[in-house]
Amino acid sequence: MSNWNKLAEAASTKERSRVTEELFRDGLQDGLGKVEAAIAELRQILLVKGLAITDVYFAMVKENAFGKDEARIVPRVRMDARYGTPTFYWEKVIRHAFALTSQKPLRKTYGRGRSYEAYVRRKGSKQKEKMRVVLLSEHVPINKSTLSVSMSAFSKEPEWAQLSAQLIEPELAELRHQAKLLSNISRAVKQFARCLKSQQAAKDVL
């Protein structure tokens, strides 16, 4: 592996003259690989930071599930496997509970979603009963200019969720901005890689 810093010194004229085109090409490819690996690691760091920011909120969501202070809007911090990019958004969860003997056409009526069996307390009842719970969801809109979610989206949420969102959302907006900048860098790196590939293909033809 060449020491490019050493080769850049004024006194390294002879050493530079011995650097072949293949060494230049390998050096560039090696550098591209390091940049891509660094971008992937930075994205993973953003993902973990987002998870850490929202962990307490999710703990509160579980604590208040099926209660009067239950939150319907929850943060979603995930890695988009298609592009290897972290995403930070809010999701409104829509829950429907049906008795296990119900013959309602759940999928046809409510569309796609996931379901599970759970003990649920009906409104006005002190006892829980085993029911089929169907979960659906929809994304809370993100302002494309500011990359933030309006606090008005939480107006019908319990007080604890509104206060938490005021603290969490600015940090998620910052993570969205950082992730967008990394995507810009990633696109530039890919463009540089395509340029090198094109130039090398042209040289191989000669």
Side-chain angles (χ1 to χ4, degrees), residues 102-118:
S102 173
Q103 299 299 316
K104 287 181 177 290
L106 304 183
R107 181 169 298 181
K108 182 177 179 181
T109 304
Y110 296 103
R112 297 181 62 185
R114 68 184 184 88
S115 65
Y116 59 92
E117 293 182 5

Side-chain angles (χ1 to χ4, degrees), residues 7 17 23 44 69 86-88 93 129 131-132 134 138 140 152 172 177 182-183 198 204 206:
L7 289 169
S17 68
L23 284 174
Q44 197 69 27
D69 288 330
T87 59
F88 312 92
V93 178
E129 61 178 290
M131 304 181 75
R132 168 67 59 182
V134 179
E138 59 184 25
V140 178
S152 63
L172 293 182
H177 180 66
L182 282 178
S183 292
S198 176
D204 291 341
L206 297 177

Side-chain angles (χ1 to χ4, degrees), residues 3 27 32 43 54 61 82 87 90 94 102 117 130 143 162 168 186:
N3 186 335
L32 278 172
R43 283 172 166 169
T54 56
V61 168
R82 297 171 300 171
T87 59
W90 294 85
I94 304 169
S102 173
E117 293 182 5
K130 195 172 186 179
N143 186 299
Q162 293 185 41
I168 293 173
S186 180

Side-chain angles (χ1 to χ4, degrees), residues 9-129:
E9 294 177 359
S12 298
T13 305
K14 289 184 179 181
E15 288 82 357
R16 284 195 293 271
S17 68
R18 292 194 289 267
V19 180
T20 64
E21 185 63 30
E22 184 179 2
L23 284 174
F24 280 124
R25 184 175 65 249
D26 290 346
L28 288 169
Q29 290 299 329
D30 181 61
L32 278 172
K34 289 177 180 177
V35 173
E36 290 172 345
I39 291 173
E41 183 176 10
L42 288 171
R43 283 172 166 169
Q44 197 69 27
I45 292 172
L46 294 185
L47 175 73
V48 174
K49 185 175 181 180
L51 291 170
I53 289 170
T54 56
D55 278 343
V56 175
Y57 190 100
F58 271 110
M60 290 293 292
V61 168
K62 291 181 180 179
E63 183 177 332
N64 290 284
F66 292 103
K68 63 182 180 65
D69 288 330
E70 179 180 37
R72 294 296 186 185
I73 298 179
V74 296
R76 294 299 185 199
V77 178
R78 294 170 175 166
M79 184 66 78
D80 189 330
R82 297 171 300 171
Y83 310 109
T85 56
T87 59
F88 312 92
Y89 58 91
W90 294 85
E91 197 172 66
K92 184 176 182 181
V93 178
I94 304 169
R95 182 188 292 114
H96 301 280
F98 302 94
L100 293 178
T101 56
S102 173
Q103 299 299 316
K104 287 181 177 290
L106 304 183
R107 181 169 298 181
K108 182 177 179 181
T109 304
Y110 296 103
R112 297 181 62 185
R114 68 184 184 88
S115 65
Y116 59 92
E117 293 182 5
Y119 285 91
V120 181
R121 182 182 293 109
R122 290 179 182 270
K123 289 185 178 180
S125 174
K126 294 183 179 180
Q127 293 185 337
K128 291 184 178 181
E129 61 178 290

